[in-house]
Amino acid sequence: MAKFTKQKDGRYRTTIQLGYGPDGNPIKKYLSALTIKELEKKIFEAKNDLSNGLLIADTTLFGTYADKWVEIYKGTKSVQTKAMYVNAIRLLEPLRQTPLKEINRSMLQEVINDNSDHPRSCEVMLLTLKQIFKSAMADGLTGKNPCTGITLPRHVKKEKRALTEEERKALRSAVLLPQERILLLTLYGIGCRPAEAYALTKSDFDFRAGTVQINKSVQFDGSYPVSVSLPKTNASIRSVIVSESILRALKHLIDKIPTENILGDNAGKIMHKGQYETIFKHILAKAGLKDSGITMYTLRHNFCTECWYNGLSLKECQRQMGHTDYKMVLEVYSHLDAKKENTREKMSNMVM
């Protein structure tokens, strides 16, 4: 087979491969010249440019590649994780019709700046961009990663707080329906993440041993529950040691539930996320805490506070909470240290 194809106009033609697109198909570039020697020179120069990242396809649009990328590389992730990337790509809409090779740092910074009122969204957008361009470079669609040097808006995380004594009393004394009380106790007394609490079943409770097994989580697509699967990290799978009083209260309530799922609907099925949020709003309203700013995670943080105040080590707090690293306990709950340590009183004992 001839190495080059001679065209009707007398020119010689061949192709070189630039890489692979997101669909796995090869990306090619056509070269032609009047003589074989001239064509061989063009091939040599093109391959040299290709090795230096200078020769790239210029027809693939950012939006086309991003959509394919999220399907290929995030398709097996959890529903929430995939939705996070899809939403980030939606926010990057101004770049959709721009060829990948033409996108530069200034374009990315402009899109980030347009969303500066939502710092967390900007963080996810940049995370997504870095992964997309790293993949595009590997596929031979661009010779540069324009994400370097992007400035993010300042993100001041809200300090996680524990419940006040008044709030704890209000929640304890509130007259609640059984389902409301169960949700309160699983968050407040077991330290569950909301999606872990929704997935709890009767068989997860060992009342004799005084433990609750956290080994699954509800996956939602928007508000709709799509599956009950393993938590996202191995550390999230844990056996939580629970106080006797909370276990007694839970046993009294759980024994009366006819279905295996303790926070399901009347048929025992997982409910929509909005239904659980409504139940929680009712809990706060009945406790007179409607406008307190308390969230489901506030109750989980309260559980960590109780672990810390009752003398558990950082490692044990980490295990009870299901964190991957005990540093999370230090960073997120560092405000507990000053309250627990009573530094002024202890330092008053220091002498020379």
Side-chain angles (χ1 to χ4, degrees), residues 180 183 273-283 296:
E180 295 167 347
L183 179 58
K273 186 185 290 185
Q275 292 174 278
Y276 291 112
E277 292 169 350
T278 298
I279 292 172
F280 188 70
K281 288 179 181 178
H282 289 166
I283 293 172
M296 293 192 200

Side-chain angles (χ1 to χ4, degrees), residues 249-263:
L250 280 168
K251 188 175 189 307
H252 174 74
L253 294 164
I254 291 173
D255 283 346
K256 297 179 181 179
I257 297 175
T259 59
E260 177 67 7
N261 192 316
I262 68 169
L263 280 170

Side-chain angles (χ1 to χ4, degrees), residues 238-251:
R238 61 201 187 275
S239 177
V240 180
I241 299 172
V242 185
S243 75
E244 291 184 9
S245 62
I246 291 197
L247 276 177
R248 281 198 303 270
L250 280 168
K251 188 175 189 307

Side-chain angles (χ1 to χ4, degrees), residues 5-68:
T5 302
K6 190 171 184 178
Q7 306 297 300
K8 291 181 179 181
D9 61 2
R11 298 176 68 88
Y12 291 90
R13 182 181 179 185
T14 190
T15 60
I16 62 170
Q17 187 169 313
L18 303 181
Y20 294 90
D23 56 1
N25 293 325
I27 300 171
K28 297 180 179 180
K29 181 178 180 66
Y30 291 98
L31 298 173
S32 65
L34 287 173
T35 66
I36 291 177
K37 184 176 181 179
E38 183 183 354
L39 185 54
E40 287 176 337
K41 181 180 179 182
K42 284 189 175 183
I43 293 171
F44 175 81
E45 291 173 347
K47 288 183 176 180
N48 186 57
D49 287 345
L50 182 61
S51 65
N52 291 320
L54 300 175
L55 183 61
I56 54 177
D58 59 358
T59 57
T60 303
L61 302 179
F62 174 82
T64 302
Y65 187 81
D67 291 343
K68 197 70 178 180

Side-chain angles (χ1 to χ4, degrees), residues 186-199:
T186 54
L187 299 169
Y188 178 95
I190 302 176
C192 290
R193 299 177 177 91
E196 294 171 346
Y198 309 153

Side-chain angles (χ1 to χ4, degrees), residues 175 201 236 238 263:
V175 179
T201 59
S236 297
R238 61 201 187 275
L263 280 170

Side-chain angles (χ1 to χ4, degrees), residues 240-241 301-313 316-318 320-321 336 340:
V240 180
I241 299 172
H301 301 149
N302 186 81
F303 178 78
C304 183
T305 303
E306 294 295 332
C307 289
W308 188 239
Y309 281 175
N310 283 287
L312 270 67
S313 66
E316 186 59 17
C317 282
Q318 169 204 340
Q320 288 270 98
M321 296 295 292
L336 299 180
K340 180 185 178 185

